[in-house]
């Protein structure tokens, strides 16, 4: 995980942002779009993935006797909130969040390849593909684990993982379908896409 984070950090800082600046020739626009990509991914990860940070069952209770009742009440409330959150944020919600995440990864890959096709040096496309290939198994493991914990069958887990694997190629196809003409005639568009994807990579690396 640390290796993938470092790779994403390097791709964002050393490739995406410099290439974006070369396309749009504006530091302000490049960094504003990078910040936008960071915030989109930040809120996407905050609202969709399944995380709980509550007190574990049977955790030791410290403090005086007067504090013991209040502590038990806090633990009960925390568990109640965790159970409510678990019922709302199921594996389906997590999969939706990961799918949006993967779509953005496909956009990043297509933008990187388009930048290389524009004559920029460096293996930007290969590096981005490597980031996605190394990062996606962790996402797939998260979805599969939550489905297994919810009692889903092995067949349904395989089917959903197969569909989930198509999200990144779909993002690349959507980028080319909507940007194939704009990339050639409007380099600012490609620079904006690279800057936005740099922000998403920085957020994931963090």
């Amino acid at each position: 995980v640390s290796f993938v984070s470092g790779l994403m950090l390097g791709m964002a800082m050393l490739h995406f942002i410099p290439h974006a600046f070369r396309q749009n020739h504006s530091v302000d626009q490049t960094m504003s779009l990078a910040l936008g990509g960071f915030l989109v991914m930040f809120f996407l990860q905050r609202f969709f993935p399944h995380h709980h940070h509550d007190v574990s069952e049977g955790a030791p209770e410290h403090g005086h006797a007067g504090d013991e009742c209040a502590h038990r009440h806090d633990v009960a409330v925390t568990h109640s909130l965790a159970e409510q959150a678990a019922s709302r944020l199921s594996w389906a919600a997590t999969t939706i969040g990961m799918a949006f995440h993967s779509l953005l990864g496909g956009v990043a890959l297509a933008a990187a390849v388009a930048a290389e096709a524009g004559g920029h040096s460096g293996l930007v496309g290969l590096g981005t593909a490597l980031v996605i290939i190394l990062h996606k198994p962790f996402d797939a493991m998260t979805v599969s684990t939550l489905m297994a914990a919810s009692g889903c069958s092995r067949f349904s887990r395989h089917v959903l993982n197969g569909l989930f694997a198509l999200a990144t190629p779909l993002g690349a196809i959507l980028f080319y379908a909507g940007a194939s003409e704009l990339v050639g005639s409007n380099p600012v568009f490609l620079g904006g896409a690279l800057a936005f994807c740099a922000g998403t990579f920085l957020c994931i690396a963090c």
Side-chain angles (χ1 to χ4, degrees):
V1 174
S2 298
F3 175 78
V4 175
S5 297
L7 187 59
M8 298 187 88
L9 180 64
M11 289 297 301
M13 298 295 292
L14 302 177
H15 291 287
F16 280 9
I17 289 179
H19 286 319
F21 175 70
R22 289 176 192 170
Q23 292 288 332
N24 56 33
H25 304 289
S26 172
V27 174
D28 291 339
Q29 184 181 21
T30 297
M31 298 315 297
S32 296
L33 286 168
L35 178 60
F38 187 99
L39 292 175
V40 166
M41 186 60 69
F42 176 83
F43 287 113
L44 190 63
Q45 291 181 331
R46 284 286 179 243
F47 284 109
F48 280 103
H50 184 92
H51 291 295
H52 297 305
H53 303 283
D54 57 352
V55 180
S56 60
E57 191 78 38
E61 297 182 355
H62 301 288
H64 302 289
D67 300 330
E68 190 171 328
C69 182
H71 178 80
R72 288 178 178 174
H73 174 73
D74 290 341
V75 171
V77 170
T78 304
H79 278 295
S80 177
L81 291 174
E83 290 168 1
Q84 293 174 18
S87 64
R88 296 191 196 104
L89 290 177
S90 62
W91 60 264
T94 303
T95 305
I96 292 172
M98 294 291 190
F100 281 126
H101 179 154
S102 299
L103 281 172
L104 291 176
V107 170
L109 179 59
V113 172
E116 275 194 343
H120 296 295
S121 60
L123 300 176
V124 185
L126 180 61
T128 307
L130 184 61
V131 164
I132 293 172
I133 291 169
L134 293 175
H135 180 66
K136 286 302 136 190
F138 297 109
D139 293 345
M141 182 176 65
T142 300
V143 173
S144 295
T145 301
L146 289 175
M147 290 184 71
S150 300
C152 298
S153 66
R154 183 185 296 270
F155 176 76
S156 63
R157 297 200 301 269
H158 286 324
V159 169
L160 189 66
N161 257 325
L163 295 175
F164 177 67
L166 299 176
T168 298
L170 179 60
I173 292 171
L174 290 175
F175 178 85
Y176 277 114
S180 57
E181 296 181 0
L182 287 173
V183 168
S185 61
N186 188 7
V188 175
F189 177 83
L190 179 58
L194 288 171
F196 183 87
C197 293
T200 64
F201 272 37
L202 286 174
C203 184
I204 299 169
C206 287

